[in-house]
Amino acid sequence: AGASIGLSLPKSKEQVDHGCRAFSKPGLVCADSTNPMISVVTDFSPSCFRRCPQICEPLGTLVTAYLSDPNPESLQGAFCANAEPFTCMFEVDAAEECSKVLDAGASIGLSLPKSKEQVDHGCRAFSKPGLVCADSTNPMISVVTDFSPSCFRRCPQICEPLGTLVTAYLSDPNPESLQGAFCANAEPFTCMFEVDAAEECSKVLDAGASIGL
């Protein structure tokens, strides 16, 4: 009956806890945060932080990281170090309000993922911070990955075929042989041309061309 007159009430204890968890301090969001700058972000949509109070602490860390080093790769690492709380922002009851935060963050250079899939995609290579192609057995692969570690964090699937290509290059730098080695497993490399990887991966492609690869 309440719903029929526009008064929507929770239908389980879980819904009560979820809907009311941030209202013990009316008007305040992230009240326990010790980061004085966090309100710069929370003010974009207080409702988002009422729905997802668990993002307050990692967001404070992210704001601190942004102020000390706004480099996108550093921020990606800081985000991925504790990404799980942010997935709340994509839940049905939070998505609309939290999209305001995500859009506003992007406008000031603090770019956050806009879906759980983007979280998974962006963070999959940060389980071993600082390392790229960590599982590769090719000792020479760093010669290529050092041109742009960010490229390989965005596209970890190219590590294995790249190792094969480097081995082929060292054994026979003939362009035709290399073309054959590349085409034998070309699909993973298409990641390098995706929008979120193209700029960084172009450094790898340009560098490869400069050494005949």
Side-chain angles (χ1 to χ4, degrees):
S4 69
I5 60 171
L7 178 59
S8 182
L9 298 173
K11 296 183 179 180
S12 67
K13 184 178 184 301
E14 289 72 23
Q15 288 185 12
V16 171
D17 293 340
H18 181 74
C20 296
R21 58 190 169 186
F23 283 88
S24 55
K25 298 180 178 180
L28 296 179
V29 293
C30 297
D32 295 327
S33 176
T34 57
N35 190 315
M37 295 299 293
I38 200 169
S39 64
V40 172
V41 182
T42 59
D43 285 352
F44 288 124
S45 177
S47 295
C48 171
F49 297 91
R50 292 197 177 98
R51 293 288 180 276
C52 301
Q54 66 266 46
I55 67 178
C56 292
E57 183 179 346
L59 180 68
T61 302
L62 198 58
V63 168
T64 299
Y66 173 74
L67 293 174
S68 105
D69 181 6
N71 179 280
E73 185 178 340
S74 300
L75 291 175
Q76 181 77 4
F79 174 84
C80 292
N82 191 13
E84 180 58 31
F86 290 96
T87 59
C88 172
M89 301 175 81
F90 314 124
E91 293 178 5
V92 173
D93 63 341
E96 182 177 356
E97 284 299 322
C98 290
S99 67
K100 301 174 185 177
V101 177
L102 299 173
D103 292 342
S107 73
I108 60 170
L110 182 57
S111 184
L112 296 172
K114 296 189 176 182
S115 70
K116 188 175 185 304
E117 290 70 26
Q118 287 186 13
V119 172
D120 294 341
H121 178 76
C123 293
R124 60 189 170 186
F126 280 85
S127 55
K128 298 180 179 180
L131 297 180
V132 293
C133 297
D135 295 328
S136 176
T137 57
N138 190 316
M140 294 300 294
I141 200 170
S142 64
V143 173
V144 182
T145 59
D146 285 352
F147 288 124
S148 177
S150 294
C151 171
F152 296 91
R153 292 197 175 99
R154 294 289 183 278
C155 301
Q157 65 266 46
I158 68 179
C159 291
E160 183 179 347
L162 179 68
T164 302
L165 199 57
V166 168
T167 299
Y169 173 76
L170 293 173
S171 118
D172 180 6
N174 179 282
E176 187 175 339
S177 300
L178 292 174
Q179 183 73 11
F182 174 84
C183 292
N185 191 12
E187 178 59 31
F189 291 96
T190 59
C191 171
M192 300 175 80
F193 313 120
E194 293 179 4
V195 173
D196 63 342
E199 182 177 356
E200 285 299 322
C201 289
S202 68
K203 300 173 185 177
V204 178
L205 300 172
D206 292 343
S210 72
I211 61 171
L213 182 56

